[in-house]
Every structure is written in C-alpha cells, then in structure tokens.
Amino acid sequence: QVQLQESGPGLVKPSETLSLTCSVSGDSIRSYYWSWIRQPPGKGLEWIGYIYDGGKTNYNPSLESRVTISLDMSKNQFSLNLRSVTAADTAVFYCARQGGNYADTVFDSWGQGTLVTVSS
Amino acid sequence: SYVLTQPPSVSVAPGQTARITCGGHNIGTKSVHWYRQKPGQAPVLVVYDDSDRPSGIPDRFSGSNSGNMATLIISRVEAGDEADYYCQVWHSSGVFGSGTGVTVL
C-alpha cells in the first residue's frame, strides 16, 4: 500500500521560496502522476500541479509562474517549490498520487498534509 | 477557468439520505470524483468516475452525473459521515468544488 509523507519548513518569510518534499513508499514514482494540492485554513482544496513520466509537469494556470515540481528518483521523492510567497499562500500542503488504482484524474492516495505559514 | 459549485452545508438526520450536489457547465460530460474530509485529516476518495466506489467504501455511498449537475448520495446516514465533501473533475487541470459540510442532526 502506497504511503506519502510531506516534509519541509513550517514557516516561510514573505517573498521567499516555499520548498516541500514528498517521500513515497510502497510504490515507485516512475509510475503514475504525483501531485501537490493545498488548502488554506478553513477553505477548500486547490490543485497546484503534477509531475509524471520522469519529469513532465502540468501546473495550475493560476500558479504556473511561481511553481516548480521536480523528481528525485534515487530517493523516490518529489518536491514543490513555490516562489515569491505571500500570506495568501499560507495553507496545508498535501502530496497525492494521481491515477493509481483508478482513473488517471483521481487522487487516490494522500499524505497527511503539512501546514506552511507565510509570515515575517 | 472551470467552476464547480457546491452548497456550503447539508443537514440530515441519522438513517436518512443525504444528497450533495456539484454544479458545473456540461459536467455530465466529465468524470466526477468525490472526497470526504474530516477535521484535521487528509481527504479520502469515496466515489470516482461518477458512481464507482473504491475498495473499503460502503455501498451507502453512490453518485450520479448528468447535464449540469453531479450528485453524491449517502444512504442510511451515520454520525461518522459528518465531514466536508468535495467534488473534483479534470478540465486541463485539477478542479475542486468549494466543499459541502454535512451535519448529522
């Protein structure tokens, strides 16, 4: 059974870069799509983007100019960089597998989430 | 961008049926997935491809999708069904509905 675990700083200063890593166990990141999703406190879910097939990416158009998702196959991890953050980027960030046991548009396995606060 | 509209809240008595709607332009032509999120937890897939259930999800959960509206149906509601529910589709990118809080009276 696949397991995902987010890690990274819980506090980032405005204008800096938010960096998170998702460690995957029980499955290889060489298969499927691997997504980042965020949820501001008390609000809904927002898809950030995914990476697949060794490095191909697709990003939410609203965030595309500030986002980079990358893979480290040697560690079975994928990462998120979100540049020039503001307080509006404060959220719980989830990593998720997409297209695992079901259709390739389905997020079928999620990490527990990590709260990142943007504040000076 | 593609917008999915959900009612903010739905209340239902135990044992009754809850219906959670998700509106979107021609949503009937898309595959709709539903997630349940309890406080402090990650979302969990409860229905995919409009009406299919992942393993481990009871058959009390079902769905439909036609025209401009998709619906998640929870039959014989239990106290443990109290949560936020989100619909999701793919429209060149992932799109989530605004979420519906289900309260079990």
Side-chain angles (χ1 to χ4, degrees):
Chain A
Q1 182 177 348
V2 64
Q3 292 187 319
L4 300 92
Q5 178 68 60
E6 305 88 352
S7 61
L11 181 64
V12 180
K13 290 182 169 55
S15 81
E16 296 190 345
T17 297
L18 179 159
S19 296
L20 295 173
T21 296
C22 182
S23 299
V24 179
S25 59
D27 200 355
S28 170
I29 60 171
R30 297 178 186 276
S31 303
Y32 310 124
Y33 300 75
W34 301 93
S35 276
W36 285 99
I37 296 160
R38 69 178 182 177
Q39 184 173 36
K43 297 188 178 181
L45 300 164
E46 181 181 33
W47 178 76
I48 298 170
Y50 66 54
I51 191 164
Y52 71 107
D53 196 19
K56 298 177 184 177
T57 55
N58 182 18
Y59 300 132
N60 187 321
S62 69
L63 296 169
E64 187 167 16
S65 63
R66 298 194 292 132
V67 172
T68 301
I69 297 176
S70 58
L71 281 175
D72 186 337
M73 290 188 179
S74 67
K75 296 181 179 178
N76 217 42
Q77 295 175 337
F78 63 107
S79 297
L80 168 71
N81 277 356
L82 180 64
R83 296 175 291 278
S84 304
V85 298
T86 70
D89 294 309
T90 294
V92 174
F93 286 77
Y94 296 99
C95 57
R97 185 180 71 175
Q98 185 177 337
N101 296 322
Y102 311 107
D104 62 7
T105 60
V106 178
F107 304 105
D108 71 335
S109 297
W110 298 62
Q112 66 184 27
T114 187
L115 174 63
V116 180
T117 301
V118 178
S119 175
S120 54
Chain B
S1 61
Y2 192 78
V3 176
L4 295 174
T5 301
Q6 297 182 238
S9 62
V10 166
S11 297
V12 59
Q16 299 303 302
T17 298
R19 292 177 174 83
I20 304 161
T21 58
C22 176
H25 181 66
N26 287 336
I27 195 173
T29 64
K30 300 181 182 297
S31 290
V32 179
H33 318 305
W34 292 90
Y35 303 86
R36 175 183 63 205
Q37 185 180 33
K38 296 187 176 182
Q41 298 183 16
V44 172
L45 180 69
V46 293
V47 166
Y48 69 98
D49 287 351
D50 300 339
S51 58
D52 290 332
R53 284 184 311 279
S55 59
I57 300 299
D59 61 4
R60 299 187 299 104
F61 288 82
S62 61
S64 65
N65 184 20
S66 178
N68 294 314
M69 193 72 73
T71 304
L72 174 68
I73 302 160
I74 311 173
S75 304
R76 303 182 301 281
V77 166
E78 302 173 355
D81 297 330
E82 194 161 280
D84 293 327
Y85 291 82
Y86 293 90
C87 58
Q88 178 248 320
V89 300
W90 199 263
H91 185 76
S92 301
S93 61
V95 180
F96 288 95
S98 47
T100 298
V102 170
T103 300
V104 180
L105 300 171

